Amino acid sequence: MSNYIPSPVEWVRNQVELYESSGGTEGTTLRDTGMPVVIVTNTGNKTGAVRKTPLMRVKDGSAYVLVGSMGGAPKNPVWVHNLRTNPAIQLRDRTEVQDMRVREVQDEAERARLWEIAVAAFPPYRDYQQRTSRVIPLFVAEPVGA
Ligand code: F42
């Protein structure tokens, strides 16, 4: 079993703590926006440690879309590298926890469709993409065995 290493970012770490300690009944939105957040448990690609990453909840049927926006920062967030190396994750959506497998979206048409779903769920993603020259990575997370 690997150790859990909390995020070095205080507000992110606090959100994970509240979300998980409440069993998914508190701390489930982005600050006071009311916009829903999920918690992705992933494995560090160098440390092998357990990492927990809150992301906006973007749903496509039973799948979730994970958006590597990081506020339009110039570089991809580290969890993107973790998912590329270790695609097995756990996803918590409020009280529901599922084992899932992720794949990075490569196909242009699929990307265009999922990007619209992501922006509809969380409109600031559009501004984040305009702010950076990198193409914001998208992953699809699907229930294991589905
Ligand atoms: N970030 C998004 O990109 N998209 C979202 O939709 C989003 C929503 C969101 C909602 C609520 C909330 O609280 C946070 C939200 N965030 C969102 C922020 C998100 O949770 C992450 O904090 C952010 O994307 C940055 O991810 P990161 O993986 O780059 O985190 C950094 C700060 C971090 O944890 N760095 C660690 C460190 O110690 O510096 C490294 C963690 C790590 O995974 N290390 C790897 C390992 O092996 O353990 C190796 C590192 C390497 O070099 O590869």
Side-chain angles (χ1 to χ4, degrees):
M1 276 295 282
S2 301
N3 290 335
Y4 167 47
I5 306 181
S7 171
V9 180
E10 189 181 13
W11 71 274
V12 174
R13 182 168 72 238
N14 290 346
Q15 173 147 35
V16 172
E17 166 65 20
L18 179 60
Y19 202 130
E20 297 225 310
S21 66
S22 67
T25 59
E26 289 177 57
T28 62
T29 65
L30 177 67
R31 299 199 183 90
D32 56 1
T33 62
M35 293 170 132
V37 168
V38 297
I39 306 283
V40 171
T41 300
N42 55 101
T43 306
N45 70 94
K46 290 182 184 156
T47 59
V50 175
R51 304 279 184 179
K52 291 181 185 279
T53 308
L55 298 173
M56 301 317 294
R57 183 178 69 204
V58 179
K59 278 206 90 170
D60 180 35
S62 62
Y64 291 78
V65 185
L66 311 181
V67 183
S69 55
M70 203 176 162
K75 283 191 174 169
N76 286 333
V78 176
W79 61 263
V80 163
H81 303 288
N82 295 346
L83 297 194
R84 285 175 180 160
T85 306
N86 295 302
I89 64 161
Q90 240 184 21
L91 188 146
R92 176 184 275 280
D93 182 358
R94 289 167 293 187
T95 57
E96 195 183 350
V97 182
Q98 288 184 84
D99 288 328
M100 295 195 141
R101 205 169 173 81
V102 301
R103 63 180 170 82
E104 190 164 0
V105 176
Q106 311 284 0
D107 179 75
E108 295 260 329
E110 184 181 32
R111 182 186 167 79
R113 185 179 77 78
L114 295 176
W115 180 253
E116 289 310 314
I117 293 172
V119 167
F122 188 61
Y125 281 147
R126 199 187 296 280
D127 303 332
Y128 297 166
Q129 181 59 88
Q130 280 164 5
R131 216 175 277 171
T132 181
S133 56
R134 70 188 166 95
V135 176
I136 288 179
L138 299 183
F139 293 83
V140 176
E142 283 157 323
V144 170

